[in-house]
Amino acid sequence: MSSFSSMDKLISRLTQPKSLVCGVAAMTADKFNWSCLWTRVVWAALVLMNPAMGLLIYFVLALVLPKWERNF
């Protein structure tokens, strides 16, 4: 029964727009009006499948997204 509560806690944590690492998934979800949960799940899958490319894209977007929001 505790596994259900821990899974519920994980899902509730992933759906909150508050940043987990540097907020790229939350910013991307907000920018394109996507679900924060599924954006984070896709980012996690990308990083697990190809860690070097996933992390490179993640940190490039961490640098670009805040500047992109200011220009629009």
Side-chain angles (χ1 to χ4, degrees), residues 49-64:
M49 289 174 25
N50 190 347
M53 187 59 69
L55 290 174
L56 177 67
I57 292 169
Y58 192 84
F59 288 114
V60 165
L61 285 175
L63 297 173
V64 171

Side-chain angles (χ1 to χ4, degrees), residues 11-61:
I11 289 174
S12 84
R13 178 67 178 115
L14 289 175
T15 56
Q16 294 175 0
K18 185 177 175 187
S19 67
L20 294 176
V21 178
C22 62
V24 173
M27 283 190 292
T28 306
D30 186 49
K31 178 80 173 159
F32 297 107
N33 200 23
W34 295 340
S35 165
C36 197
L37 169 68
W38 290 111
T39 305
R40 286 181 173 150
V41 168
V42 169
W43 272 114
L46 176 69
V47 169
L48 289 174
M49 289 174 25
N50 190 347
M53 187 59 69
L55 290 174
L56 177 67
I57 292 169
Y58 192 84
F59 288 114
V60 165
L61 285 175

